[in-house]
C-alpha cells in the first residue's frame, strides 16, 4: 500500500463522508420545500425591512434590489430572508451557475470548508489548487490552445489587472491600450480607465491612455470589419510602438449583449500581431456561457489570443497566459487568492460543464438558449410595441423593452422583481437591454415557462 498523508486519511474517514451525506440530505429536505414563487411572509416583513435599512446605511447606499437571501434555495428558485421566493435568472450577475443549494456544489463546498484554513493564498495553497489549475489549463488547451500558465486571483478585475501588467511588462515602455467602445472590464483605478462608462471613473485621475474601436455590427459584417481595420491602422499610425494590449470581450456583457464574429476578431488580431500587441480576451462574463467552455473556443481563436481572463461562473478568477508573457518575479502576487470552498466548488462545476452534457450543439447550454429564446420571440410577436429580441448567446439571454428606454427598462426590472423574477439591466440609453444570466446547472423548461408568464404579466403592468 502506498504511503498516505494524514490529510488523505482524514478525507477518507467514513465519519467525514457520513457527516457530509447527512448535511447534504438536510439541505435537500429543506430545499425541497421551496417549490414556487411566493410573496413575503407578513410576519417577517417588518424585521426584513429593518435589516435592509440598517444594511443599506452600513454599506453607504441602498441595495439595487431589496434582496437579502435566507441562505437556501432550490435550483432556479431562491428564498429571501422575508420568506419570499423568486426565480433567480441573474445569479448574482452571473455567478451562481448551478443555482441554489445544488447538492453537488454543497458537497464540494463542505470538502473545502473542513480543510485547515479558510483561504488559500499565493504562499500557501492546498492540494485542491493544483488539481483545479490542471483542469482549467487542460480545458483551455483542448483544441490546441497552447496556454502554458494560469494565475488565480480574487476578482474578475484583478485578473484583468494582472493580464494588463503582463502585457505592459512585455512591451515596456509602451503605455497605451486598445479596447472596444461600450466595453466593461471592471473598476480598479487602471481598469476603470478602460471600461467605457464615464460614471465609473467620475472623479478619478487618468491612469491609462485608451483608444476605442467600434464593436462588430451583425447588420453590416463587411462594413464593420472595414471600419475597425481603418480605425486600428489610424491608431498605429498615430502612436507607433506605443500600444501594449488589445482588450476584447467576444460577446459584450454589461455593454448590452452584443455578439462578435470570428472574421471581425481575426482582422483585429492580425494587425495586433504585426504590431507586437498582446491580445487579452476578457471571459469574465462569457466563460461557460457559449456552447464551448471558453468563448475563444466558440469563435475558434484558440491559437491567436495571448491572455484570457475568467471569473464569475468559474467561482475563482484567473488569468490564463502563454509562456512569452510570463511576468518577472514580483510583478503579480496576492495574499489570498480564493477560499477552499470556492476552489472545490469551482472544480466541481467546471468539471461537470466540461464533461457532462452541457457543451456542443446538443448540450444543455444550447438547448436552454433555444427554448428560452423561442419563448421570448413568441412574446415579442404578441407584444411588439413592448418587447424586441431576444439577443445574446447560450447562457446570456437579453431583450429590448420599450425601444431600449433606460428608465422604463429599470422600472420593468423592479416590477419583475416584485412579481418574482430577478433580472438586470445591460447597455444604456438608447440601447438598454434587460438581461438574464440563467442558473444553467439547475434550470428547467418549466422554470422558463413560469418566468415567461411572469414577464408577460409584468409587461402588462407598464404602459
Ligand atoms: C466582462 C467583465 N470583465 C470584468 C468584470 C469584473 O469582474 P469583477 O466584478 O469580479 O471584478 C466583469 C464584471 O461584471 C465583467 O463582466
Amino acid at each position: 500500500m502506498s504511503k498516505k498523508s494524514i490529510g488523505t486519511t482524514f478525507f477518507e474517514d467514513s465519519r467525514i463522508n457520513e457527516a457530509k451525506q447527512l448535511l447534504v440530505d438536510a439541505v435537500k429536505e429543506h430545499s425541497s420545500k421551496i417549490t414556487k414563487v411566493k410573496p413575503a411572509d407578513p410576519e417577517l416583513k417588518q424585521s426584513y425591512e429593518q435589516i435592509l435599512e440598517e444594511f443599506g446605511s452600513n454599506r453607504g447606499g441602498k441595495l439595487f434590489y431589496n434582496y437579502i437571501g435566507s441562505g437556501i434555495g432550490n435550483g432556479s428558485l431562491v428564498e429571501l430572508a422575508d420568506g419570499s421566493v423568486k426565480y433567480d435568472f441573474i445569479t448574482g450577475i452571473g455567478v451562481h451557475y448551478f443555482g441554489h443549494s445544488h447538492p453537488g456544489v454543497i458537497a464540494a463546498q463542505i470538502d473545502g470548508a473542513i480543510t485547515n484554513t479558510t483561504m488559500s493564498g499565493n504562499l500557501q495553497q492546498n492540494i485542491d489548487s493544483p488539481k483545479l489549475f490542471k483542469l482549467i489549463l487542460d480545458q483551455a488547451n483542448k483544441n490546441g490552445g497552447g496556454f502554458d500558465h494560469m494565475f488565480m486571483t480574487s476578482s474578475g478585475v484583478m485578473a484583468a489587472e494582472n493580464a494588463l501588467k503582463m502585457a505592459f511588462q512585455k512591451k515596456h515602455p509602451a503605455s497605451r491600450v486598445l479596447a472596444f467602445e461600450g466595453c466593461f472590464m471592471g473598476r480598479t483605478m487602471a481598469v476603470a480607465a478602460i471600461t467605457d462608462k464615464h460614471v465609473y471613473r467620475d472623479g478619478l485621475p487618468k491612469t491609462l491612455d485608451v483608444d476605442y474601436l467600434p464593436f462588430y455590427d451583425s447588420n453590416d459584417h463587411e462594413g464593420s470589419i472595414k471600419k475597425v481595420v481603418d480605425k486600428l491602422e489610424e491608431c498605429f499610425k498615430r502612436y507607433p510602438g506605443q500600444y501594449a494590449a488589445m482588450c476584447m470581450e467576444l460577446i459584450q456583457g454589461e455593454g448590452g449583449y452584443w455578439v462578435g464574429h470570428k472574421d471581425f476578431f481575426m482582422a483585429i488580431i492580425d494587425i495586433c500581431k504585426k504590431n507586437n500587441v498582446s491580445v487579452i480576451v476578457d471571459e469574465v462574463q462569457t466563460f461557460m456561457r457559449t456552447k464551448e467552455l471558453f468563448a475563444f473556443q466558440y469563435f475558434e481563436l484558440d491559437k491567436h489570443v495571448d491572455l484570457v481572463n475568467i471569473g464569475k461562473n468559474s467561482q475563482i478568477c484567473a488569468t490564463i497566459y502563454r509562456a512569452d508573457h510570463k511576468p518577472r518575479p514580483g510583478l503579480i502576487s496576492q495574499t489570498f487568492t480564493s477560499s477552499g470552498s470556492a476552489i472545490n466548488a469551482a472544480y466541481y462545476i467546471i468539471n461537470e460543464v466540461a464533461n457532462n452534457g452541457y457543451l456542443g450543439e446538443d448540450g444543455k447550454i444550447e438547448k436552454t438558449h433555444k427554448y428560452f429564446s423561442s419563448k421570448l420571440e413568441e412574446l415579442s410577436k404578441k407584444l411588439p410595441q413592448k418587447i424586441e429580441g431576444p439577443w445574446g448567446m447560450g447562457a446570456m439571454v437579453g431583450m429590448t423593452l420599450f425601444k431600449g428606454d433606460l428608465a422604463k427598462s429599470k422600472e420593468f426590472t423592479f416590477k419583475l422583481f416584485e412579481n418574482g423574477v430577478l433580472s438586470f439591466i445591460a447597455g444604456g440609453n438608447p440601447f438598454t437591454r434587460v438581461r438574464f444570466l440563467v442558473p444553467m446547472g439547475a434550470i428547467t423548461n418549466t422554470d422558463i415557462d413560469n418566468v415567461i408568464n411572469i414577464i408577460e404579466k409584468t409587461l402588462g403592468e407598464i404602459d
Side-chain angles (χ1 to χ4, degrees), residues 93 155-158 184-186 249 254 282 284-285 312 317:
I93 321 189
S155 73
V157 75
M158 280 310 297
F184 185 90
M185 213 174 171
E249 276 171 280
E254 312 291 314
D282 183 340
V284 170
Q285 191 148 159
K312 293 187 186 264
C317 300

Side-chain angles (χ1 to χ4, degrees), residues 214-329:
F215 195 68
Y216 179 68
D217 178 359
S218 59
N219 294 318
D220 185 13
H221 178 78
E222 296 298 334
S224 61
I225 294 176
K226 185 174 173 337
K227 231 159 114 181
V228 82
V229 166
D230 288 350
K231 177 75 191 174
L232 251 185
E233 278 168 355
E234 184 191 311
C235 289
F236 286 125
K237 202 165 138 198
R238 181 163 294 145
Y239 301 110
Q242 291 190 40
Y243 291 100
M246 165 76 218
C247 305
M248 25 168 108
E249 276 171 280
L250 305 178
I251 303 168
Q252 290 198 315
E254 312 291 314
Y257 281 27
W258 304 98
V259 180
H261 193 284
K262 180 184 177 180
D263 299 346
F264 176 80
F265 296 127
M266 278 312 301
I268 297 171
I269 291 171
D270 281 345
I271 303 175
C272 286
K273 295 281 153 178
K274 278 187 204 129
N275 287 278
N276 190 23
V277 168
S278 303
V279 176
I280 301 175
V281 168
D282 183 340
E283 295 233 23
V284 170
Q285 191 148 159
T286 52
F287 181 62
M288 294 204 288
R289 277 191 228 281
T290 69
K291 55 188 170 187
E292 297 295 331
L293 198 71
F294 291 87
F296 75 75
Q297 293 169 333
Y298 174 81
F299 289 104
E300 298 173 340
L301 305 174
D302 302 62
K303 294 190 174 61
H304 307 286
V305 303
D306 300 303
L307 305 114
V308 181
N309 307 329
I310 59 168
K312 293 187 186 264
N313 278 340
S314 48
Q315 310 302 309
I316 56 94
C317 300
T319 306
I320 298 162
Y321 60 98
R322 298 182 192 282
D324 62 350
H325 281 73
K326 193 171 174 169
R328 293 192 285 279

Side-chain angles (χ1 to χ4, degrees), residues 128-143:
D128 35 24
S129 287
K131 204 174 126 191
L132 179 64
F133 275 49
K134 180 163 166 37
L135 173 69
I136 295 176
L137 279 173
D138 283 352
Q139 288 301 321
N141 289 325
K142 195 172 69 176
N143 304 331

Side-chain angles (χ1 to χ4, degrees), residues 157 160-165 167-169 173-179 183 185-195 201 204-212 239 242-247 280:
V157 75
E161 281 271 336
N162 290 336
L164 282 166
K165 283 182 173 181
F168 276 124
Q169 190 176 65
S175 61
R176 302 189 81 85
V177 169
L178 291 154
C183 73
M185 213 174 171
R187 289 182 171 93
T188 56
M189 285 282 284
V191 177
I194 299 175
T195 292
R201 57 182 110 90
L204 303 182
K206 186 170 153 195
T207 50
L208 281 178
D209 285 314
V210 187
D211 295 293
Y212 293 96
Y239 301 110
Q242 291 190 40
Y243 291 100
M246 165 76 218
C247 305
I280 301 175

